[in-house]
Amino acid sequence: MGLLEVLFPSISEDFPNPNTKLLPSCLELSKEKRVVIVGGGPAGVHMSACLATKGFKQVTLLEAEAEVGGKSLTVIDPSQPDVPHELGTCYMSPSYELIRKLLKEYDPTNEESTFANENKGRMVFGMNLSDEDKRKYTKGMEYFDWVLEEVEMKTTWKCCRCLPDSLQNVPIFSALIKYDQLHESIFGKFPYGLPPKPKDWSKIDMTATEFLKKNGLEILEPVFLYTQQVQGYGLLDQIPAFYLLWWHHPDVINGTVRGFLGSGEYLVSVLKNGYQSLWKKMVERHSTEVNYITGAKVTGVKRTPTVEVKYMHAGVEKTLEADIFISAIDLRRFRNLITDLDPEEEQLFGRLTSSSLTTTLYKGKTTEHEHTVEWWFSRMGNPVSPPGSTGKPVAQFYGHRNSRMVARPSMPSNLVGIAGLIRPFKHVQSLFASTHYWTPFCACVHSCAVLA
């Protein structure tokens, strides 16, 4: 075992899944039970595949949109058919072993490839950059350089800031090791996925920002701004610490660090045919066992004494009877569809909060200073009123990425460019616009289906 594996190990899959007892009990019921799944995103499609594989014979999935995939939406521009433009789930990380297993089983030609054009940089703009020379040179800063600059401001006396920025890797790696140890002290060791109950809830009964400050891990905030906030998983000063710890399992942290230090592992990768291809392939495989109905907008759910789901399809209201109801949708937004929600469920689901990551598709002209990704961190969670408007402040454009440069760097770029954008979307917490059909939302591995 090398030094990297000692300092930043992978959690062995030999550790048992602490949530096995939470698996749906319906998997042990008669295979003739009628099951209805509401929601055809990654959670619903995966659940339907699991049930079909288990031998269930009467499974129906209802999806309101015209195709399955949910937040995994991949758009193909006919003018560049080899470039997938992700309007939802976009990245693969070192810990996505379940997704890799699904790809191997259902979509083997959808190959994983490294995040191309790293030399073009992930640029940060609009921040107070302390390195005057670099600011003059780029009018922005490459992301990893920006992280080192931010850490230097927190850890180094002003008189010593003339030293190489790379020295800041030492406190960063030290903080990541401390984070791993803290993670284990709270949850124990477990494979990547939903954490077990923490040993002491009081240690994480706070926001993610408060958790980092309380444990002396403030220097990791620039890292988590990218891996958590930019990716659409909520603002650090608003999301629970539990969600930060769930998403940033030690395998995610350590795999990324090992890749950064030259282990050969991908820091981040993309899929040749896009994420949505996987969910469509799963539907194709199980279409004889599962009745997939798209364009079906659910209008009501009654669970007792027999499940009844009402939905609109092709302008006609229909009713579907079943024995088991599985929700794979946002239960805070859609809980009012369930007519027999009990007080405990209402209290639980009513306390959930949801936010939207909005994406915009556009093409632009190529520019001289074209980069793979560009961000304006200071605009995130900072709503403004549109020019000339006296209405309620709305979200700002805070970044974009060039799909062609990411996925197919050898292709000509005359159709792809970079442009500033502010769009007035109401009730949106953050807005991420795209350069030539792109958006960063990688929520598929955290989708979950709730059994009712």
Side-chain angles (χ1 to χ4, degrees):
M1 180 180 292
L3 180 60
L4 286 181
E5 286 72 25
V6 172
L7 293 176
F8 303 100
S10 295
I11 301 298
S12 170
E13 292 203 11
D14 292 337
F15 284 99
N17 185 338
N19 298 306
T20 300
K21 62 183 179 181
L22 299 179
L23 292 176
S25 58
C26 69
L27 297 181
E28 307 303 324
L29 298 176
S30 167
K31 304 302 186 291
E32 300 304 320
K33 290 285 186 180
R34 299 167 298 171
V35 181
V36 59
I37 302 170
V38 175
V45 171
H46 188 205
M47 176 61 81
S48 71
C50 290
L51 292 171
T53 302
K54 284 283 186 177
F56 280 75
K57 307 295 184 182
Q58 300 185 68
V59 179
T60 299
L61 182 146
L62 302 175
E63 166 56 40
E65 300 298 327
E67 56 186 17
V68 299
K71 293 184 178 69
S72 287
L73 176 60
T74 304
V75 172
I76 302 296
D77 183 346
S79 68
Q80 293 185 331
D82 294 329
V83 179
H85 304 293
E86 300 285 23
L87 272 76
T89 319
C90 59
Y91 288 150
M92 290 281 287
S93 85
S95 57
Y96 285 14
E97 290 307 316
L98 172 59
I99 301 298
R100 291 184 177 93
K101 290 177 181 178
L102 293 175
L103 287 166
K104 183 178 180 180
E105 173 67 22
Y106 293 98
D107 199 8
T109 63
N110 195 3
E111 299 172 352
E112 185 178 354
S113 61
T114 186
F115 188 96
N117 266 310
E118 284 289 352
N119 61 317
K120 288 289 186 179
R122 309 178 191 190
M123 302 301 294
V124 178
F125 291 85
M127 306 299 287
N128 293 321
L129 306 177
S130 61
D131 189 332
E132 292 294 335
D133 291 335
K134 192 175 292 295
R135 188 196 305 179
K136 291 176 182 176
Y137 176 67
T138 65
K139 293 183 171 49
M141 182 174 286
E142 204 278 336
Y143 168 71
F144 291 110
D145 289 339
W146 174 74
V147 169
L148 296 177
E149 283 285 324
E150 289 290 303
V151 173
E152 184 180 55
M153 295 291 289
K154 297 176 183 292
T155 63
T156 307
W157 290 328
K158 191 172 183 179
C159 61
C160 298
R161 290 175 188 168
C162 59
L163 298 174
D165 290 348
S166 57
L167 292 177
Q168 301 309 317
N169 283 315
V170 175
I172 292 175
F173 293 153
S174 176
L176 289 172
I177 292 174
K178 180 180 178 180
Y179 173 89
D180 283 356
Q181 294 171 341
L182 186 60
H183 196 284
E184 182 178 345
S185 72
I186 294 171
F187 297 111
K189 289 186 176 181
F190 64 96
Y192 179 72
L194 180 67
K197 285 186 177 181
K199 300 174 182 178
D200 183 356
W201 277 105
S202 66
K203 291 184 176 181
I204 60 173
D205 186 17
M206 61 197 76
T207 67
T209 297
E210 292 168 342
F211 176 82
L212 295 176
K213 289 181 179 179
K214 179 180 179 180
N215 292 285
L217 297 173
E218 298 98 322
I219 67 172
L220 296 182
E221 186 172 358
V223 176
F224 294 144
L225 272 174
Y226 168 55
T227 57
Q228 182 87 31
Q229 191 162 300
V230 168
Q231 305 304 325
Y233 288 102
L235 304 176
L236 294 178
D237 60 356
Q238 296 182 15
I239 62 170
F242 179 84
Y243 196 42
L244 175 78
L245 292 161
W246 176 359
W247 171 229
H248 289 90
H249 184 278
D251 279 357
V252 175
I253 297 292
N254 296 342
T256 301
V257 172
R258 291 195 304 270
F260 180 79
L261 293 177
S263 69
E265 298 171 80
Y266 289 151
L267 284 172
V268 71
S269 57
V270 293
L271 295 178
K272 176 183 176 182
N273 301 327
Y275 257 103
Q276 192 177 13
S277 172
L278 170 61
W279 315 117
K280 288 183 175 181
K281 293 291 186 182
M282 294 173 72
V283 168
E284 290 176 11
R285 174 78 66 86
H286 296 294
S287 59
T288 58
E289 302 105 327
V290 179
N291 181 22
Y292 294 100
I293 305 176
T294 57
K297 184 177 180 180
V298 173
T299 58
V301 177
K302 181 176 72 71
R303 298 173 296 174
T304 56
T306 301
V307 173
E308 289 186 2
V309 178
K310 295 184 181 296
Y311 65 97
M312 296 294 297
H313 187 250
V316 178
E317 186 176 53
K318 299 184 179 182
T319 300
L320 178 67
E321 293 187 352
D323 302 301
I324 299 170
F325 163 65
I326 298 177
S327 175
I329 54 178
D330 181 343
L331 282 172
R332 182 182 184 277
R333 291 176 58 201
F334 296 102
R335 70 188 190 280
N336 293 332
L337 297 178
I338 304 175
T339 59
D340 52 1
L341 208 64
D342 64 39
E344 183 179 4
E345 292 171 325
E346 172 60 37
Q347 182 184 33
L348 174 63
F349 300 138
R351 292 173 61 189
L352 297 174
T353 59
S354 60
S355 59
S356 299
L357 180 68
T358 301
T359 60
T360 300
L361 310 164
Y362 66 90
K363 292 182 181 180
K365 296 180 180 179
T366 302
T367 67
E368 181 182 354
H369 301 290
E370 194 174 52
H371 297 106
T372 304
V373 181
E374 297 184 356
W375 297 303
W376 286 258
F377 283 142
S378 59
R379 296 178 180 175
M380 300 183 67
N382 184 25
V384 296
S385 296
S389 171
T390 58
K392 182 179 179 181
V394 296
Q396 294 188 78
F397 159 87
Y398 74 83
H400 54 186
R401 190 180 79 168
N402 186 317
S403 294
R404 194 273 313 160
M405 290 182 69
V406 169
R408 299 291 184 272
S410 61
M411 293 182 66
S413 59
N414 61 335
L415 291 178
V416 184
I418 296 173
L421 179 68
I422 297 178
R423 292 284 297 276
F425 284 85
K426 294 184 178 180
H427 311 302
V428 177
Q429 210 172 44
S430 57
L431 172 62
F432 199 115
S434 70
T435 297
H436 203 200
Y437 304 134
W438 184 88
T439 180
F441 205 118
C442 41
C444 72
V445 294
H446 286 306
S447 295
C448 58
V450 178
L451 177 68

